[in-house]
Amino acid sequence: MENLEFDLDNWRAEQEAGLTMSTWWDIAKRDKSEGHDEVYHGCFVPQIPRYMIYRFTKPGDVVFDPMMGSGTTGIEAVKLGRHFIGVDLNEEVADAARKRIKKARKAAQTDVDIEVGCGDVMDLDLAFEAPPNLVMFHPPYLDIIKFNEEGTGCWSHLMAPEFLMQVRRLWNALTPKLADGAYVVTVIGDVWKDGSYYPLGFYLLQQLLCCDLELRGILVKNVANTKVQQKNKNLWYYRAAKNGTFTFAHEYIIVMRRKK
């Protein structure tokens, strides 16, 4: 990815450079370079937004992250010469992300625009000056990670039916505001709740398909080599063996596109 834009006419060079077209993603570890050294709980690996921004947008396009957290998407967007818009519920987190993204923009010596706001994306009247060409969506879900104790406005405290209802509400409102053919990339995993397997990724996909979005691919990301997985692997192995179940080793990266 030495250039800033995917070159279909030179696809063999892209292939030789390692740009995958596979649905199986085995990312050995999270990239901690160039602005990603400060790890925020719940953040996802920069390699995911980097790939999606590079492949599905061009310099000068707009990238949006409605639950941006530490600003991973924003850092990758400005490094690749894309404008960035981000929102986060937590004011302290949003301020820290803004600083990281601005620092990355300065290092990349680009003049792209950055808009970082604080608030509940469900309550904001999002009026984009230029419609986003790509949205990275990595919502907190089902208490996998506790982002705050009170739970006000945070999706991680919602039970599954309410979580899926919020997904449907958000994308029914947001999709019409995207550019024609804009890509929507969601990172999500399945969960165990109350002793039962809950295929949250599949249920979330059902909601998105009702929001004028078409499916372009379901990627499977290996998470078996994460610190949490390694720390608890013996316990989880025993529980799976005892209960006749399996240990989680994957997340989904769901790639969709707004219908033209």
Side-chain angles (χ1 to χ4, degrees), residues 110-156:
T110 65
D111 59 355
V112 294
D113 296 328
I114 299 171
E115 274 189 70
V116 171
C118 176
D120 186 343
V121 69
M122 302 299 295
D123 297 331
L124 300 177
D125 182 16
L126 295 171
F128 299 107
E129 184 174 336
N133 305 95
L134 171 72
V135 184
M136 293 298 306
F137 183 47
H138 187 216
Y141 53 93
L142 306 192
D143 269 337
I144 298 301
I145 296 175
K146 294 185 183 297
F147 288 89
N148 59 48
E149 293 301 325
E150 64 276 9
T152 305
C154 184
W155 286 22
S156 67

Side-chain angles (χ1 to χ4, degrees), residues 225-245:
N225 50 16
T226 63
K227 288 183 179 179
V228 174
Q229 288 274 6
Q230 292 300 315
K231 180 180 179 181
N232 298 293
K233 66 178 181 179
N234 293 333
L235 173 62
W236 289 349
Y237 182 95
Y238 172 76
R239 286 179 177 174
K242 178 183 177 181
N243 297 322
T245 58

Side-chain angles (χ1 to χ4, degrees), residues 6-257:
F6 175 65
D7 184 5
L8 180 59
D9 293 333
N10 200 18
W11 66 270
R12 286 193 181 276
E14 298 282 8
Q15 182 184 41
E16 292 170 0
L19 189 75
T20 183
M21 295 292 161
S22 171
T23 58
W24 170 253
W25 282 27
D26 193 355
I27 301 174
K29 60 182 179 179
R30 185 179 189 273
D31 180 8
K32 295 182 181 180
S33 64
E34 299 181 274
H36 299 297
D37 51 330
E38 298 180 60
V39 178
Y40 169 71
H41 58 292
C43 60
F44 61 145
V45 296
Q47 292 94 316
I48 298 175
R50 181 183 307 156
Y51 175 98
M52 300 300 170
I53 294 168
Y54 176 76
R55 185 174 172 196
F56 296 125
T57 67
K58 60 183 184 298
D61 278 354
V62 178
V63 176
F64 176 49
D65 190 334
M67 299 179 180
M68 68 174 178
S70 64
T72 301
T73 298
I75 291 172
E76 291 303 316
V78 299
K79 284 164 60 177
L80 288 169
R82 278 66 164 171
H83 305 294
F84 177 71
I85 302 171
V87 177
D88 196 84
L89 184 67
N90 187 305
E91 185 173 0
E92 183 178 346
V93 171
D95 286 342
R98 183 185 295 108
K99 293 176 181 177
R100 292 189 189 100
I101 298 167
K102 286 185 175 180
K103 183 178 179 181
R105 179 178 63 179
K106 182 178 180 181
Q109 298 181 336
T110 65
D111 59 355
V112 294
D113 296 328
I114 299 171
E115 274 189 70
V116 171
C118 176
D120 186 343
V121 69
M122 302 299 295
D123 297 331
L124 300 177
D125 182 16
L126 295 171
F128 299 107
E129 184 174 336
N133 305 95
L134 171 72
V135 184
M136 293 298 306
F137 183 47
H138 187 216
Y141 53 93
L142 306 192
D143 269 337
I144 298 301
I145 296 175
K146 294 185 183 297
F147 288 89
N148 59 48
E149 293 301 325
E150 64 276 9
T152 305
C154 184
W155 286 22
S156 67
H157 294 271
L158 299 176
M159 297 302 290
E162 291 79 13
F163 172 85
L164 295 170
M165 189 181 302
Q166 288 290 71
V167 169
R168 182 77 164 267
R169 284 183 56 211
L170 173 63
W171 287 101
N172 271 331
L174 186 56
T175 302
K177 300 180 180 182
L178 305 181
D180 285 344
Y183 277 81
V184 174
V185 179
T186 303
V187 180
I188 196 79
D190 297 330
V191 294
W192 281 98
K193 293 295 289 185
D194 302 322
S196 298
Y197 187 94
Y198 196 83
L200 185 64
F202 294 163
Y203 291 144
L204 180 142
L205 174 58
Q206 289 177 324
Q207 300 302 316
L208 295 178
L209 286 171
C210 296
C211 300
D212 208 26
L213 296 168
E214 60 180 2
L215 181 63
R216 307 304 293 172
I218 300 175
L219 316 181
V220 179
K221 174 182 173 289
N222 178 20
V223 297
N225 50 16
T226 63
K227 288 183 179 179
V228 174
Q229 288 274 6
Q230 292 300 315
K231 180 180 179 181
N232 298 293
K233 66 178 181 179
N234 293 333
L235 173 62
W236 289 349
Y237 182 95
Y238 172 76
R239 286 179 177 174
K242 178 183 177 181
N243 297 322
T245 58
F246 301 88
T247 61
F248 283 123
H250 70 280
E251 282 183 326
Y252 302 111
I253 305 170
I254 301 173
V255 181
M256 308 190 77
R257 186 172 66 183

